Amino acid sequence: MSSIPERVLNDGRRIPAIGFGTNEVTGSIGRTAITSAIDLGYRLIDTARNYRNERDLGIALRFASVDRRQLFISTKIPGRYHGFDETITGLHKSLDDLGLDYVDLLLIHWPLPRIDKYVDSWKAMIELRDRGLVRSIGVSNFTQKYLQRLIDETGVTPAVNQIELHPYFPQPEMRAFHQQHGIVTQSWSPIGKKSDLLAQPEVADIAGQHAVTPAQVVLRWQVQLGNIPIPKALDARHQAENLQVFDWSLTDAEVERLSGLERGRLWGGDPVTKEEF
């Protein structure tokens, strides 16, 4: 199996170039899937307070086959913990459930502009980072406008912005903004879950050309665009396949062909209007 490269964040820390997503990965089945992923080589494990599985992840981590210091654990602050004091409280609840002294990456899950407390949460995250309870800080589902406001009002640029990104929604303008500001792009739902993306003739044709799976084609597309995909897979075989995207490459024409599948958002997650608490 290919080793996983690392990316350097704008704070100097390193992050694996692919991660394991845990949305809806819960209970004993979830714990087994997380354990399998770690055993196979995943080191970046992505969760969120609203996934309701931080405790399951914590149990899996206690029995992990590698030392905690070799893992990169990421979680997210939900809407009900927006605000300075609330964000600090939320992080402590996450640490308690995870059974950890720190997380490697803390994200604001959604900006919630109507509530307009994301800057206060960002200031709290800066303090949490300074206290050593968080190693790196970033956001999720932020637009250029919201990112720029964080930068302008605090002088601290997010290390990561995790956004919906797949060939149906490649987000070239956001990726360009990230690159300009040294923000790493993470992709949630990187293979377009519950859509027909993997069945598209273009994807199937490219998979045949390289003797790989359609999912591997899309994940390789992510990697070549400079994104960090966070695929989810409960099955160990699929978990292993998703890691095998670093020892081969797509042609520039194939990358463009996949990007040409653009349709737009798949699940209505517009950061301007989407609210979760």
Side-chain angles (χ1 to χ4, degrees):
M1 182 174 295
S2 304
S3 61
I4 300 176
E6 292 182 322
R7 300 279 303 280
V8 179
L9 299 173
N10 60 21
D11 58 13
R13 298 191 179 277
R14 306 182 74 87
I15 183 172
I18 193 170
F20 181 69
T22 66
N23 187 21
E24 300 177 344
V25 177
T26 60
S28 61
I29 293 175
R31 294 193 294 272
T32 298
I34 293 166
T35 297
S36 169
I38 293 172
D39 289 345
L40 286 167
Y42 288 89
R43 294 297 176 260
L44 164 56
I45 311 296
D46 178 81
T47 185
R49 190 70 187 163
N50 271 5
Y51 295 172
R52 297 178 174 83
N53 63 3
E54 289 176 320
R55 194 162 292 180
D56 291 316
L57 174 54
I59 293 170
L61 294 177
R62 287 202 293 276
F63 297 97
S65 56
V66 300
D67 187 271
R68 189 275 178 262
R69 290 171 294 182
Q70 294 179 258
L71 298 171
F72 191 103
I73 307 301
S74 173
T75 193
K76 308 178 189 74
I77 294 291
R80 63 187 177 277
Y81 291 118
H82 275 215
F84 189 92
D85 293 337
E86 294 88 345
T87 292
I88 291 175
T89 296
L91 185 273
H92 279 289
K93 288 182 179 293
S94 289
L95 291 176
D96 287 345
D97 281 352
L98 289 165
L100 299 177
D101 296 325
Y102 69 93
V103 292
D104 298 274
L105 177 64
L106 182 65
L107 308 177
I108 300 174
H109 205 155
W110 290 88
L112 303 182
R114 181 180 66 84
I115 306 302
D116 196 23
K117 292 184 178 181
Y118 64 85
V119 175
D120 294 330
S121 287
W122 186 242
K123 291 176 179 177
M125 289 165 64
I126 295 169
E127 180 166 320
L128 289 166
R129 185 191 62 181
D130 292 344
R131 292 185 196 174
L133 297 174
V134 174
R135 296 292 173 84
S136 295
I137 55 176
V139 296
S140 181
N141 301 300
F142 271 52
T143 65
Q144 296 180 33
K145 175 182 176 181
Y146 306 146
L147 288 168
Q148 192 64 59
R149 184 178 173 196
L150 292 182
I151 296 167
D152 291 344
E153 294 192 22
T154 70
V156 177
T157 301
V160 166
N161 187 18
Q162 186 180 121
I163 56 177
E164 179 186 348
L165 202 156
H166 42 73
Y168 281 164
F169 194 48
Q171 299 229 55
E173 294 84 7
M174 279 302 305
R175 289 189 284 109
F177 183 89
H178 289 168
Q179 185 173 16
Q180 178 185 357
H181 291 82
I183 300 169
V184 166
T185 303
Q186 280 189 339
S187 305
W188 61 260
S189 194
I191 57 176
K193 65 177 182 178
K194 300 177 182 177
S195 75
D196 63 354
L197 173 62
L198 299 185
Q200 286 297 312
E202 292 88 346
V203 178
D205 179 58
I206 294 170
Q209 294 293 325
H210 293 274
V212 298
T213 69
Q216 287 172 322
V217 166
V218 176
L219 290 173
R220 180 62 204 182
W221 172 86
Q222 294 274 5
V223 168
Q224 284 188 222
L225 289 181
N227 310 328
I228 296 179
I230 312 289
K232 177 185 74 176
L234 297 179
D235 178 76
R237 179 174 63 85
H238 289 144
Q239 290 175 352
E241 287 176 353
N242 288 346
L243 285 181
Q244 295 167 2
V245 295
F246 296 104
D247 56 358
W248 60 281
S249 61
L250 301 169
T251 66
D252 291 345
E254 288 169 335
V255 170
E256 290 301 316
R257 192 177 174 191
L258 292 168
S259 299
L261 296 173
E262 181 172 6
R263 295 181 179 180
R265 297 186 191 278
L266 291 181
W267 304 283
D270 185 347
V272 178
T273 56
K274 166 74 174 181
E275 294 190 353
E276 58 78 32
F277 293 92

